[in-house]
Amino acid sequence: MRRLHTFCRYGIFFVGAALLGACSGTPTYNPTVFPASIDQARLDAHPMKTVVITHVNLGSQSRNYLEKEAPRIDAQVTEYLRDNGFTVLPQREFEQHWNTAVRAFGNPVDPTSGKVNTKTFAQIMHRVRDELAESSNIDGFIFTDLVEVQESFSGGMKHLARWDGVTRAPTMQGPGDGVSASFDWSMMAAMVSLKVTIYDAELKPVFHGRGGIDATDAIDSRSTKGRYIRRRNILENESNIMEGIQLAFYPLIAMEDWPGNP
């Protein structure tokens, strides 16, 4: 989820992630719940107890305005995992080994083109895995990406947006407190989800999930025509963050209220 790197191609050992079997059933309430994938047989054979949350993105790089929020979300993910019986290694250990491996093999990301050298990336991850295995009983690597999606608030009476298993109402920003009757509710607004991808100690994909968190755009009350602007304080609602985390890790970790509110 962090700044620094992005990996749109997952490397040699990431091929086949799409082959994981979908395990989520038909949603009971919220139809937008993400269809998580899990390799339960592999997890049963090799239970995952000790993990590390990486400081690099696995998918697209998070938007700049989300990068500063990433460490805070990672800290809450760490707490959630520990509350559910996982041992979470300090992220700095992964980062130190990663930086050492980068010096040995080179940066896997071309800074000019953004292209990823998958061979180099695989070499780095294997080196990091080997180093961590010497000092711990590492079972898995968790990649947590904050991703931005575009959704609209419904034109109904409640004006709700639904995505990745959550339901959120719009907020306003500015001196006013009303929305023009001509406001275009079909306009797209920025929303944020947490994407979680997990690889085991052999760097095989075992889990992929996603949960919505909150809208990061608000209705600009100063605009006479109606528009969205970036909220001054984003991802500040603790209950919304926790719901997103719980959805992103389900069914790896049971969630009592899955799949969220209708």
Side-chain angles (χ1 to χ4, degrees):
M1 185 197 317
R2 298 290 297 280
R3 71 286 178 209
L4 300 179
H5 305 291
T6 175
F7 304 105
C8 296
R9 300 174 184 175
Y10 301 165
I12 297 172
F13 51 85
F14 295 143
V15 175
L19 299 180
L20 292 176
C23 67
S24 57
T26 302
T28 305
Y29 300 109
N30 195 318
T32 67
V33 66
F34 184 82
S37 299
I38 187 169
D39 190 336
Q40 192 62 56
R42 193 170 183 86
L43 287 171
D44 289 342
H46 306 282
M48 190 166 291
K49 298 179 180 179
T50 302
V51 298
V52 66
I53 299 173
T54 74
H55 73 293
V56 294
N57 273 25
L58 183 61
S60 300
Q61 186 171 358
S62 297
R63 296 289 297 272
N64 290 337
Y65 77 95
L66 293 173
E67 291 180 359
K68 64 179 182 180
E69 310 300 332
R72 179 166 57 88
I73 303 301
D74 274 349
Q76 289 170 282
V77 170
T78 297
E79 182 179 355
Y80 180 66
L81 290 169
R82 287 174 175 164
D83 288 344
N84 283 277
F86 289 84
T87 297
V88 183
L89 300 178
Q91 192 175 74
R92 65 177 180 275
E93 293 187 17
F94 178 93
E95 188 168 2
Q96 288 169 354
H97 291 310
W98 175 273
N99 292 337
T100 299
V102 167
R103 288 193 292 270
F105 299 108
N107 193 329
V109 181
D110 186 328
T112 57
S113 66
K115 292 183 179 180
V116 178
N117 184 319
T118 56
K119 180 180 179 180
T120 301
F121 182 64
Q123 288 176 318
I124 291 173
M125 281 300 302
H126 278 87
R127 171 70 67 85
V128 172
R129 187 272 314 276
D130 292 345
E131 293 292 337
L132 284 173
E134 290 184 2
S135 58
S136 66
N137 296 319
I138 186 72
D139 297 316
F141 298 84
I142 300 181
F143 292 81
T144 53
D145 299 352
L146 286 177
V147 296
E148 181 186 87
V149 299
Q150 297 290 321
E151 294 290 343
S152 62
F153 291 96
S154 67
M157 292 293 292
K158 293 184 178 181
H159 301 300
L160 300 175
R162 294 180 175 86
W163 80 98
D164 288 339
V166 299
T167 301
R168 303 287 184 252
T171 59
M172 295 193 65
Q173 188 163 291
D177 57 1
V179 181
S180 169
S182 61
F183 186 84
D184 183 6
W185 290 102
S186 67
M187 284 191 301
M188 293 294 182
M191 319 282 176
V192 173
S193 292
L194 172 66
K195 182 176 68 173
V196 170
T197 311
I198 304 178
Y199 295 85
D200 65 14
E202 295 183 8
L203 300 178
K204 302 295 184 181
V206 293
F207 181 79
H208 178 61
R210 188 160 133 169
I213 298 180
D214 211 346
T216 54
D217 280 350
I219 298 171
D220 183 3
S221 64
R222 298 167 297 182
S223 172
T224 57
K225 295 183 179 180
R227 64 174 183 176
Y228 291 112
I229 56 174
R230 182 78 65 229
R231 291 169 61 174
R232 285 187 292 269
N233 299 309
I234 63 172
L235 306 184
E236 60 181 349
N237 188 305
E238 296 295 326
S239 63
N240 287 353
I241 293 172
M242 182 51 60
E243 183 181 20
I245 292 173
Q246 291 175 333
L247 284 165
F249 278 93
Y250 181 87
L252 181 68
I253 299 175
M255 178 182 179
E256 182 178 355
D257 297 327
W258 185 90
N261 297 321

